[in-house]
Amino acid sequence: MERVNPAHLAPPTGFSHAVRAAPGTLVFLAGQTALDGSGRIVGDGIVEQFERALMNLLDVAAASGAGPSDLAKLTVFAVDVADYRRQAREIGRVWKRLVGGDYPAMAVIGATRLWDETALVEIEGIAVVR
């Protein structure tokens, strides 16, 4: 995959402006929250919940034959975007530890609530398996 970040745009921080994927199989990853194996949301804050949701997404991706470098597009839904921004450095550390230094095309969208009322964040995505 090629990350596309035109020089005339503001440099992206924690995302890529675009990702051009070589031919492959698209894998659509359903929204993942911080659910544990018993169906309970775990983690008191957005950083902990982001980490668990991202781990769940990566587990689903792996079960579909996709690795972290195959992530082309992610959407993060947060019930408190201001808190997400305040915790951005720590969330970035979690990302780098679990995924690495490559970023897919990403967006963070504020949501009034998620399916599970105790969820603070949900992550969905698209991967391209080559």
Side-chain angles (χ1 to χ4, degrees):
M1 282 196 256
E2 176 188 359
R3 273 64 174 159
V4 181
N5 295 300
H8 67 279
L9 294 178
T13 302
F15 70 98
S16 291
H17 285 293
V19 175
R20 184 176 20 225
T25 301
L26 292 175
V27 179
F28 297 91
L29 303 165
Q32 299 295 316
T33 59
L35 286 175
D36 66 10
S38 66
R40 288 185 16 248
I41 294 290
V42 296
D44 294 328
I46 196 160
V47 175
E48 296 87 3
Q49 286 199 20
F50 178 88
E51 181 171 0
R52 182 56 183 247
L54 181 58
M55 288 174 19
N56 289 346
L57 185 92
L58 292 172
D59 286 349
V60 171
S64 302
S69 65
D70 297 320
L71 296 173
K73 171 77 173 101
L74 290 184
T75 305
V76 177
F77 299 92
V79 296
D80 186 344
V81 175
D83 187 35
Y84 187 96
R85 289 180 63 127
R86 279 191 299 276
Q87 304 296 329
R89 284 195 193 282
E90 190 60 34
I91 288 170
R93 285 188 202 88
V94 168
W95 178 270
K96 287 182 180 176
R97 183 169 36 83
L98 296 177
V99 178
D102 287 332
Y103 295 98
M106 292 178 71
V108 176
I109 298 173
T112 56
R113 73 176 288 281
L114 300 170
W115 182 261
D116 189 309
E117 292 182 19
T118 59
L120 302 175
V121 65
E122 183 169 336
I123 307 169
E124 69 174 15
I126 300 171
V128 180
V129 180
R130 299 174 292 281

